[in-house]
Amino acid sequence: MQELITVKQLTCRHGVVEALSDISFSVSSGDYLGIVGPNGSGKSTLVRALLGLMPAYHGQISLFGQSRDRFSAWERLGYLPQNLGPLNPAFPATVFEVVQLGLLAGKTLPKRLCRHDRKQVLEMLERLDVGHLQQRMIGELSGGQQQRVMLARALVNNPELLIMDEPTAALDPEIRDRFYELVAQMNKDKGTTVLLVTHDTGTIGQYASRMLYLDKRVLFFGSFDEFCHSPEMSAFFGEHSQHLICHRH
Amino acid sequence: MTILELFSYGFMQRALLAGILIGVLCAVLGVFLVLRRLSLIGDGLAHITFGSVALALFAGLQGAAMLLVSLPVVLLASLGILKLAGKARLGGDAAIGIVSSVGVSLGVLLAVLGRGYGVDLFSYLFGSILAISQAELLVAGGLFVTVMALLWLYYNDLVALTFNEELATVSGVRVRFLNGLLAALTALTVVLAMKLVGVMLISALLILPASAALQVARGFRMTVILSVLFSLVAVVGGIMISFLFNLPSGATIILLAFVIFCSGYLFRQLQTVKNRS
């Protein structure tokens, strides 16, 4: 299986504070990796380092076998950020216009969209049950609707790798469950590789095949079965917490 | 005097044509600058333009030849603002403040040293579009084509960058290059707009049509189209009113743009009330 992400001895700093220390792991094609850990454990820093949004780091990061610094095949990757905080609520774009931005990575200048691209955008909006919102302004939508639109933007290019940072933080429980099911279905049916950052340890165990437990360093990396049967992890987390994460209670 | 007679004058034809070119550029760029909260970069670059005009006059240049000094100086200043903001641990506003104050200081100093061209400098402060020459119009046309071609080429990248810089990066958009390009295109436009509305009012021409469009448009493309439309109404209307009633053209254009902005704001408020009821 092809390794889509390879991280070796990664160390990241925020100024003088070490946010991540000696991180090594890999993600293969078809994996569903859940990255979990407490607040401030460096989960988002890791994602930002992977995507080149945090330039200063030591160690090696490869995406699709290519060094991150030289990586340019962004059309193979979809990204859903932690929240839409930086989004200007008065931004004058319709839902359709926002989702079509997800197709730019595969285009060459002047990056114009053709009829097929428009069809692709409409199909993705329909798949995520937001087709009826296509002409609405993005700033007028509820948090859950915005998140689904942003997911549509991340998926419209049919990426091989989907990276999501706390995607369910703003969602109510019912929509959150549907969101997880949708991503799991994509992983299963289309073979989309998923890397999902969450602190929702109780839910991720139902969906992810592998887990990276992070607290500035890697505490555990492996399959859920390995985690659930590991005496070291039982000793570290306590049996109750371990069962909650494994979702076998 | 009839409207037709108005159009028969060569200077009026040149003024309207130049006004339309500059108005379109300011309207399109303005949408990106306002949404990226970079509106004041136009103001900062206008102050640098003032300094560059003083420098050109000091060097004995006149008319279109002055652009040989103004264009490179303002282009360099625009990149200087980006460098300062990126490297000197400054926010964009502080970087603009530093560069613009240097521009004004340079202008004042050279005005005093060069005595004798105070009136010329005054015309650049408040604009003199009716006095635009054939050569200046040609330069404006050339720059219009250049800026519009680059905007056309990078339009979707600029929309992505304006929507969210991080998402744009992960979509393969060259964010640093585009930030530089946006600053450089703004610099070129500001130098041109100096002749239309003057140094003091350039930023208003970048901000007001785009802000008016943001009140009423539904969609990014529509925002750009309406911004251009509002800018053209303000520029063409302002030039004609200023000529007919013997008023300063720059100030008339901006006040007309402000009336359009107020109308857009009122329209939006009425729509909101209507939607609630």
Side-chain angles (χ1 to χ4, degrees):
Chain A
M1 280 222 197
Q2 191 199 353
E3 280 192 1
L4 302 196
I5 300 175
T6 312
V7 175
K8 284 181 188 162
Q9 296 169 316
L10 175 71
T11 297
C12 294
R13 289 175 188 279
H14 291 304
V16 290
V17 180
E18 201 164 80
L20 289 172
S21 171
D22 196 25
I23 307 290
S24 296
F25 69 97
S26 62
V27 180
S28 298
S29 177
D31 274 356
Y32 187 147
L33 176 69
I35 298 183
V36 292
N39 283 339
S41 58
K43 303 187 294 289
S44 294
T45 303
L46 177 59
V47 167
R48 292 172 62 77
L50 287 177
L51 295 171
L53 300 173
M54 190 177 163
Y57 70 91
H58 295 286
Q60 285 177 25
I61 301 175
S62 298
L63 296 172
F64 294 90
Q66 206 175 20
S67 161
R68 190 211 73 179
D69 297 339
R70 287 200 301 273
F71 181 72
S72 59
W74 295 106
E75 71 281 3
R76 300 178 76 177
L77 190 151
Y79 170 51
L80 185 60
Q82 186 167 16
N83 55 46
L84 297 173
L87 172 66
N88 176 357
F91 193 83
T94 61
V95 164
F96 188 94
E97 285 175 320
V98 168
V99 175
Q100 72 178 15
L101 292 177
L103 290 167
L104 291 189
K107 302 268 172 203
T108 50
L109 285 173
K111 301 191 179 180
R112 292 293 183 265
L113 298 181
C114 61
R115 192 179 292 175
H116 173 73
D117 295 327
R118 292 191 185 93
K119 204 175 143 211
Q120 211 170 319
V121 172
L122 287 177
E123 278 172 6
M124 186 49 69
L125 287 170
E126 292 296 342
R127 240 181 103 193
L128 295 177
D129 293 332
V130 281
H132 60 292
L133 301 175
Q134 59 166 302
Q135 290 309 321
R136 291 276 300 276
M137 303 290 276
I138 184 81
E140 292 174 358
L141 306 183
S142 68
Q145 287 171 329
Q146 278 189 355
Q147 197 67 334
R148 262 191 287 175
V149 170
M150 296 310 288
L151 181 65
R153 185 205 160 281
L155 293 178
V156 70
N157 221 12
N158 288 320
E160 294 161 61
L161 171 63
L162 180 60
I163 296 180
M164 296 180 287
D165 188 1
E166 303 271 14
T168 58
L171 304 183
D172 58 51
E174 192 192 335
I175 295 176
R176 188 190 63 193
D177 290 345
R178 281 179 60 193
F179 182 90
Y180 275 126
E181 275 158 26
L182 182 84
V183 173
Q185 194 186 355
M186 283 177 42
N187 173 252
K188 204 173 153 191
D189 298 348
K190 299 186 84 175
T192 307
T193 308
V194 178
L195 188 153
L196 192 147
V197 169
T198 181
H199 60 259
D200 190 4
T201 45
T203 310
I204 190 67
Q206 292 177 39
Y207 301 101
S209 55
R210 305 180 86 195
M211 183 173 80
L212 178 75
Y213 198 100
L214 202 65
D215 194 359
K216 299 194 175 176
R217 60 194 174 90
V218 176
L219 294 184
F220 175 83
F221 174 59
S223 70
F224 266 86
D225 274 347
E226 285 165 352
F227 177 81
C228 297
H229 293 113
S230 161
E232 289 92 349
M233 289 297 109
S234 299
F236 187 84
F237 287 101
E239 286 202 1
H240 179 68
S241 296
Q242 191 187 21
H243 277 302
L244 281 177
I245 295 171
C246 295
H247 220 267
R248 290 176 178 181
H249 50 287
Chain B
M1 182 184 289
T2 66
I3 297 286
L4 276 180
E5 278 176 325
L6 198 70
F7 288 121
S8 67
Y9 294 113
F11 71 87
M12 182 54 87
Q13 290 166 1
R14 285 196 300 276
L16 285 171
L17 191 53
I20 287 169
L21 300 181
I22 297 163
V24 170
L25 288 182
C26 286
V28 180
L29 274 173
V31 172
F32 295 109
L33 295 176
V34 167
L35 285 170
R36 300 212 71 212
R37 303 189 191 281
L38 284 171
S39 311
L40 286 180
I41 199 171
D43 212 35
L45 292 175
H47 289 145
I48 286 290
T49 310
F50 173 74
S52 73
V53 166
L55 187 64
L57 288 171
F58 189 75
L61 298 173
Q62 291 289 325
M66 293 171 68
L67 295 173
L68 293 173
V69 173
S70 289
L71 283 173
V73 167
V74 181
L75 265 174
L76 278 176
S78 69
L79 300 177
I81 288 173
L82 288 184
K83 275 270 181 228
L84 262 182
K87 300 268 181 192
R89 291 188 182 180
L90 291 175
D93 53 347
I96 290 169
I98 290 172
V99 174
S100 71
S101 54
V102 169
V104 173
S105 308
L106 189 72
V108 171
L109 203 68
L110 289 171
V112 172
L113 288 174
R115 289 169 197 169
Y117 57 75
V119 177
D120 283 344
L121 202 55
F122 189 81
S123 77
Y124 285 98
L125 276 178
F126 297 103
S128 54
I129 193 69
L130 294 176
I132 195 164
S133 69
Q134 193 81 37
E136 284 171 318
L137 182 59
L138 278 174
V139 175
L143 287 178
F144 174 82
V145 171
T146 309
V147 175
M148 286 308 279
L150 287 166
L151 282 174
W152 177 80
L153 196 62
Y154 290 102
Y155 175 81
N156 274 332
D157 275 357
L158 283 167
V159 176
L161 177 76
T162 309
F163 179 61
N164 186 296
E165 203 163 301
E166 290 193 351
L167 285 175
T169 305
V170 180
S171 295
V173 172
R174 291 149 66 203
V175 168
R176 277 179 65 183
F177 165 75
L178 273 191
N179 277 329
L181 182 74
L182 195 59
L185 295 182
T186 308
L188 295 178
T189 305
V190 162
V191 173
L192 282 181
M194 171 182 65
K195 192 76 184 176
L196 178 61
V197 290
V199 165
M200 302 291 281
L201 296 172
I202 288 172
S203 60
L205 198 60
L206 286 164
I207 296 169
L208 281 171
S211 301
L214 284 169
Q215 303 302 310
V216 293
R218 295 190 64 80
F220 202 94
R221 188 181 293 261
M222 202 205 281
T223 305
V224 174
I225 291 170
L226 283 180
S227 180
V228 169
L229 190 72
F230 292 157
S231 182
L232 290 181
V233 171
V235 169
V236 174
I239 289 174
M240 287 168 63
I241 291 170
S242 68
F243 182 73
L244 290 172
F245 297 99
N246 198 24
L247 298 167
S249 55
T252 311
I253 289 168
I254 298 305
L255 286 175
L256 196 51
F258 180 67
V259 170
I260 294 169
F261 168 75
C262 290
S263 310
Y265 177 75
L266 278 177
F267 177 82
R268 185 178 183 151
Q269 295 305 313
L270 287 173
Q271 286 291 106
T272 310
V273 171
K274 199 174 145 194
N275 289 342
R276 274 191 198 141
S277 61

